[in-house]
Amino acid sequence: MGKYTVYGKKVDLEIQSQLDKICNVIVKYVNPISIILIGGFGRGEGSIIYKKNKFIPINDYDLYAITSKTYPNKIIEKMCSEASQSIGKKCINFEDFSEDMVYNIEKTFYPDIRVITSSELKKLPPFLKYYEIKNGSTTIYGKNMLDKIPEINIKDIPPQDGLRFLMNRLSLMVMHT
């Protein structure tokens, strides 16, 4: 079991339970070699709030399923929707949003699951997100494939990629204040 937050073992056990359910759905749809948890939860810094004596993830679970073949978007979308349902949430996709929609953090959740082949993994470009995957993530299912990601020198990451990263974090801060 991994460490997903700074809030201790009880929260980590609940997150592990959710991740196990999501992994079961991923295995059902794409037969992964590996599933890698990235982002805050993959670094052990996952953000949660407590409400009504239970924890609620503030951000999504960012996952990469490493497979031997590619899968159509329809299958991936269906997999993500079922993954949300497996933890008792409603999946919200981009096309579900409307101007009058109110996002409810307690009822909706979108596990951000990307599917990438093992051959693609070996050819990833020098972007910040791939640097982070290699150096700040956790394998939660199957074979550890992190050593297959090319070494990325931080100096090779394009400045505009760093700016995109900072803008993303800024928008998340504004959204949750």
Side-chain angles (χ1 to χ4, degrees):
M1 192 199 53
K3 182 179 178 213
Y4 307 112
T5 72
V6 297
Y7 300 102
K9 191 172 183 174
K10 181 180 177 184
V11 172
D12 284 347
L13 286 170
E14 290 185 53
I15 292 169
Q16 182 66 56
S17 174
Q18 289 187 352
L19 290 171
D20 287 345
K21 292 172 184 174
I22 291 169
C23 283
N24 287 338
V25 173
I26 295 171
V27 168
K28 174 181 162 183
Y29 279 87
V30 298
N31 190 27
I33 299 164
S34 176
I35 300 173
I36 302 169
L37 179 65
I38 68 170
F41 289 100
R43 288 188 308 271
E45 303 168 352
S47 297
I48 64 160
I49 58 172
Y50 279 102
K51 196 168 188 180
K52 299 176 187 171
N53 293 325
K54 63 182 194 176
F55 89 94
I56 302 165
I58 290 175
N59 208 348
D60 58 3
Y61 297 134
D62 298 302
L63 300 152
Y64 268 77
I66 313 304
T67 62
S68 58
K69 66 178 193 170
T70 59
Y71 290 86
N73 283 340
K74 285 260 188 224
I75 288 177
I76 296 168
E77 289 169 12
K78 190 172 180 183
M79 173 182 65
C80 290
S81 181
E82 188 172 322
S84 291
Q85 293 169 7
S86 75
I87 60 172
K89 304 285 185 170
K90 180 183 184 307
C91 182
I92 295 291
N93 290 313
F94 179 73
E95 53 274 351
D96 293 331
F97 284 102
S98 65
E99 287 183 29
D100 59 338
M101 180 181 168
V102 176
Y103 180 78
N104 183 328
I105 196 167
E106 294 178 66
K107 297 179 182 175
T108 56
F109 190 83
Y110 182 79
D112 189 1
I113 305 168
R114 308 291 169 105
V115 179
I116 186 170
T117 67
S118 56
S119 60
E120 290 171 322
L121 191 68
K122 297 172 187 177
K123 301 175 197 171
L124 294 175
F127 291 157
L128 199 52
K129 68 179 176 180
Y130 302 130
Y131 178 88
E132 183 180 357
I133 291 170
K134 181 160 183 80
N135 298 291
S137 60
T138 304
T139 300
I140 61 170
Y141 174 89
K143 184 178 176 184
N144 183 351
M145 300 289 285
L146 297 174
D147 62 336
K148 305 298 182 205
I149 300 172
E151 289 296 328
I152 299 172
N153 185 324
I154 198 78
K155 293 178 183 177
D156 294 333
I157 296 173
Q160 64 270 26
D161 194 47
L163 181 60
R164 181 202 55 79
F165 178 80
L166 290 173
M167 295 305 285
N168 177 271
R169 294 304 182 261
L170 180 60
S171 69
L172 287 172
M173 285 175 45
V174 169
M175 199 167 91
H176 293 290
T177 54

